[in-house]
Amino acid sequence: MKTRHAGTVLGMAALAMLTVPANAHAAAVACGGGVSTGRVAVNGCISAQRGKEGKVYTREITAHVKLRNTGPRAANVSYEAFFRVVSGGHWVKLGSGRTYVPAGETVGPTEVGSSTRVCGPVRVEIRVHARAAGSGWSGWSTAGTAQCQT
């Protein structure tokens, strides 16, 4: 009986893998240090995908949030992400959202927003914070990347 169940689960997993499109150009997501709001841990994450518009090379910088509920009850969590060029840039809001995080589970990385930039020899970073229902805003979790690394 257990073998049949395991076979069914593995078969369903294999079928699910076949239906997920493979993206050869998918950008890796790197997460920064964690902060918390009540019982929810928050990580700001960043990805940078290279592109080209005509003769100009671009980089799409995407902010993500990863949320982990360490408590015994589910939580509704609001989050915001901001972006800046490190050398003298100011913070610009990329996006915000809200999600449900089940007790003891992790949600994400979930895309919050993105910005397409012309490539340059600069470092960029994002910062994310979150607020679980009934709690205050967390501190900032930051992540950064060289804007046009190969």
Side-chain angles (χ1 to χ4, degrees), residues 106-128:
T106 299
V107 173
T110 303
E111 183 177 328
V112 182
S114 65
S115 176
T116 301
R117 309 283 300 186
V118 173
C119 279
V122 296
R123 183 162 174 80
V124 297
E125 67 184 0
I126 59 97
R127 69 180 184 179
V128 174

Side-chain angles (χ1 to χ4, degrees), residues 7 9 15 24 26 31 40 43 45-47 55 64 66 71 76-77 80 88 116-118 121 133 144:
V9 171
L15 183 58
C31 295
V40 177
N43 290 92
C45 307
I46 191 169
S47 65
K55 294 183 178 186
H64 305 266
K66 186 174 175 182
N76 286 309
V77 180
E80 297 178 323
T116 301
R117 309 283 300 186
V118 173

